[in-house]
Amino acid sequence: MHTTPLTTMAMQYQAALQILQKTANDMSKRRTRTEELVPLEDSVGRTAAKDILSPDSTPPFDTAAADGFALVSSATINASPMNPVYFRVAGTITAGEKPPLMPPCRGPDGVLQCYEIMVGARFPDTATEHLIHMDACVWATDVQEVSVSEVPKADPQLGNRFIKITKPVTYNANRRRAGEDISKGDRLIRAGMKIRSSHVLPLASVGIKEVAVEPLVRVGVWSTGREIVRSDVDGPTATKRSSTRYTYDADGPYLMAALKEFGAEPHFLGLLPGDDPAVLEKALGETMATDKFDVLVTTGAATPGRSGFVRSVIEKLGGQVHFHGVAMRPGGTAMFASLESTAPNNGLVSFFGLPGDPCAMAASFRFLIVPYLQFVRGEKADEPLMATLELRCSTRQESEPNMDAGAPVEASMGNDCGPLCMDCFRHGRVTASEDGRRKVVRMTKDQGPGKVYPFIEANCWIHLPHGQEIVQGAMVPCLSLSACRDEKWQ
């Protein structure tokens, strides 16, 4: 594969997204993994591989929606306090039992007949098509039980439980018709739809136990850095904190959690010791021969400078570098490449080299890797929430620590917002305005690429597109820090 020389001009963010989309489409066509059949309760968050059709109707029979009495509604059309209608209670039907055959509308003594019925119980079946169906259920609280002496012409030998109705009962009152919720053959889930926990209710109600889903994108993650130490001191990737290893690995655990949250299958492949290109080359070579991963990610050593050896390793292995450097802040040193697998199927593996600073790494993940995963799965991009920007700081020093202290700035680009030539991503917090009529967003206090405390307060990323002057009061797009698109911005 040919390599693309590193240029001094960083690629614009939208151009990088186009490359990610094209590569993802090519990758999807070459994927050989087939759909997976998983238990229904394990399908939440997965993508349906095919349309899911209902194998049954729900409810499967006409059932009662309330405790009451099943009867023929037309018999009550003239019911009133002055002209009550009486029914003999022929029996009781409870949920889960086979209902009796419906008796004639009137008994031998001419008295109308009904059944006491419990919520969820089946309506009586008719013995022949010529009989009138019981088509309604009157609430138990809307009837009055009376003695046989009050019912005209009632024969106590035929039953001595009676009810009196003093107002008409509407047709289909408190009656759930068979298939009125879901009919057999209805499409419940479209192919390509992400399954949510709310979908489990209708799927389980028609007896679906397993769901065919698209295979997860398998992602392998390495952390790099001579100064990094893993906190899992008893695990296989453990290292001990010392005077030279003094920074706990935050990138690896974050990526593992975030990848799982965004619907991938992450695997931590280890902490690469030292800053040795040969170690990365060996790790990549061994991994590419296994056919276990669709995407590989490293954090750190991505800068074009002396300490950034990741690109040289990718090129040495024959990889194609699609871009190295994006006009975005933070995360501008991110790299994206493709590698040929040496496994038997000879497929392509995508590679992301992310910066090691936690904030820069998180921004690169959210705005480069997440779109790529969505492209691979054929999903739509996240819809941003538009909120009114409230600028927080009054000096450039507060937002850009390397600037001269006290340099005054106006509430516009440069004040936490970054240069006009870049797409800038700032973590912030969306809340409701004081009057509750709109959403407002404020950038969190410290936007340094190595700072992590602001992520405790933040609930969103603010996207400040390049070339757009941003002033206080401007409407800006905000994306959730997490995979929850329906997050309530509190």
Side-chain angles (χ1 to χ4, degrees):
M1 303 175 70
H2 80 278
T3 58
T4 304
L6 179 63
T7 62
T8 57
M9 293 295 292
M11 178 176 293
Q12 290 296 330
Y13 175 65
Q14 291 300 323
L17 285 182
Q18 292 176 4
I19 290 176
L20 291 173
Q21 183 172 23
K22 182 180 183 304
T23 308
N25 291 340
D26 294 342
M27 191 74 68
S28 298
K29 295 175 183 177
R30 297 181 63 165
R31 293 180 76 186
T32 58
R33 298 169 64 207
T34 58
E35 64 190 40
E36 301 174 13
L37 199 61
V38 300
L40 177 60
E41 59 269 25
D42 295 335
S43 68
V44 176
R46 303 291 295 270
T47 301
K50 59 180 69 173
D51 289 352
I52 302 177
L53 307 181
S54 175
D56 205 347
S57 297
T58 182
F61 311 99
D62 289 3
T63 59
D67 288 345
F69 296 87
L71 46 73
V72 177
S73 62
S74 60
T76 68
I77 193 169
N78 295 318
S80 70
M82 301 299 295
N83 184 35
V85 178
Y86 298 93
F87 287 84
R88 174 182 288 110
V89 181
T92 300
I93 310 171
T94 59
E97 71 174 357
K98 184 178 180 180
L101 291 177
M102 179 177 166
C105 185
R106 293 180 182 271
D109 56 1
V111 177
L112 292 165
Q113 302 195 88
C114 71
Y115 270 97
E116 184 179 27
I117 192 167
M118 304 303 168
V119 61
R122 288 175 55 179
F123 268 71
D125 294 326
T126 55
T128 69
E129 296 181 357
H130 303 291
L131 289 176
I132 301 175
H133 290 261
M134 289 185 178
D135 56 23
C137 171
V138 60
W139 283 95
T141 54
D142 288 341
V143 305
Q144 179 182 352
E145 293 211 31
V146 295
S147 64
V148 63
S149 61
E150 186 176 333
V151 183
K153 300 181 181 180
D155 183 352
Q157 299 297 321
L158 299 175
N160 59 4
R161 188 182 178 195
F162 299 87
I163 61 171
K164 178 173 69 175
I165 293 177
T166 58
K167 61 181 179 180
V169 179
T170 58
Y171 175 70
N172 274 341
N174 300 310
R175 176 191 182 194
R176 298 191 185 108
R177 300 298 302 274
E180 73 172 14
D181 187 11
I182 299 173
S183 296
K184 185 176 181 178
D186 281 354
R187 180 168 58 185
L188 304 179
I189 302 291
R190 295 177 182 271
M193 181 183 293
K194 183 168 288 189
I195 299 172
R196 303 191 302 267
S197 58
S198 59
H199 294 150
V200 174
L201 277 174
L203 293 175
S205 73
V206 293
I208 292 176
K209 298 179 180 179
E210 295 179 317
V211 176
V213 296
E214 294 287 352
L216 295 173
V217 179
R218 304 164 300 174
V219 185
V221 178
W222 286 285
S223 293
T224 68
R226 188 184 302 275
E227 77 286 7
I228 301 299
V229 60
R230 290 285 294 184
S231 59
D232 52 345
V233 294
D234 297 324
T237 61
T239 51
K240 294 183 178 180
R241 202 171 189 183
S242 66
S243 59
T244 56
R245 289 184 178 273
Y246 46 80
T247 301
Y248 284 120
D249 179 24
D251 293 355
Y254 170 81
L255 286 173
M256 291 294 292
L259 282 163
K260 183 179 291 186
E261 186 180 42
F262 278 91
E265 181 185 313
H267 300 267
F268 187 71
L269 303 181
L271 174 60
L272 299 180
D275 290 324
D276 188 350
V279 174
L280 175 60
E281 181 181 348
K282 181 175 182 294
L284 278 171
E286 292 175 350
T287 303
M288 295 299 295
T290 64
D291 190 30
K292 291 183 178 180
F293 301 101
D294 307 298
V295 179
L296 295 172
V297 182
T298 61
T299 64
T303 60
R306 185 176 178 181
S307 63
F309 57 83
V310 172
R311 179 183 176 121
S312 64
V313 172
I314 296 299
E315 292 177 334
K316 186 175 181 179
L317 292 173
Q320 179 180 0
V321 178
H322 300 292
F323 59 74
H324 186 188
V326 182
M328 60 183 282
R329 181 180 292 178
T333 61
M335 182 178 71
F336 175 59
S338 296
L339 288 163
E340 286 279 3
S341 171
T342 56
N345 71 352
N346 197 33
L348 282 177
V349 176
S350 292
F351 176 86
F352 288 89
L354 305 186
D357 285 329
C359 182
M361 175 277 305
S364 301
F365 169 78
R366 185 65 177 88
F367 294 100
L368 294 175
I369 293 183
V370 169
Y372 177 80
L373 295 175
Q374 292 171 335
F375 291 144
V376 168
R377 297 188 294 241
E379 299 173 357
K380 293 182 179 179
D382 295 330
E383 286 290 335
L385 170 78
M386 301 303 294
T388 302
L389 179 64
E390 291 185 351
L391 294 182
R392 172 191 53 75
C393 46
S394 58
T395 66
R396 188 183 300 268
Q397 171 70 14
E398 191 175 357
S399 64
E400 299 285 353
N402 295 327
M403 302 297 290
D404 292 337
V409 294
E410 297 180 357
S412 62
M413 293 299 284
N415 180 24
D416 260 359
C417 298
L420 280 169
C421 62
M422 292 186 176
D423 281 75
C424 292
F425 302 97
R426 300 304 194 217
H427 42 72
R429 184 165 186 81
V430 173
T431 59
S433 61
E434 291 184 0
D435 59 11
R437 296 181 179 179
R438 57 194 175 92
K439 299 297 183 183
V440 296
V441 62
R442 177 176 292 186
M443 297 179 192
T444 43
K445 184 175 181 180
D446 197 332
Q447 297 289 332
K451 300 298 178 67
V452 295
Y453 186 82
F455 284 85
I456 295 176
E457 176 189 358
N459 64 359
C460 74
W461 284 104
I462 307 167
H463 183 187
L464 306 170
H466 87 282
Q468 296 186 22
E469 185 74 16
I470 304 296
V471 297
Q472 181 159 316
M475 297 296 291
V476 293
C478 303
L479 286 166
S480 171
L481 284 175
S482 72
C484 181
R485 299 186 188 184
D486 297 327
E487 179 175 347
K488 300 299 182 183
W489 305 85
Q490 300 296 334

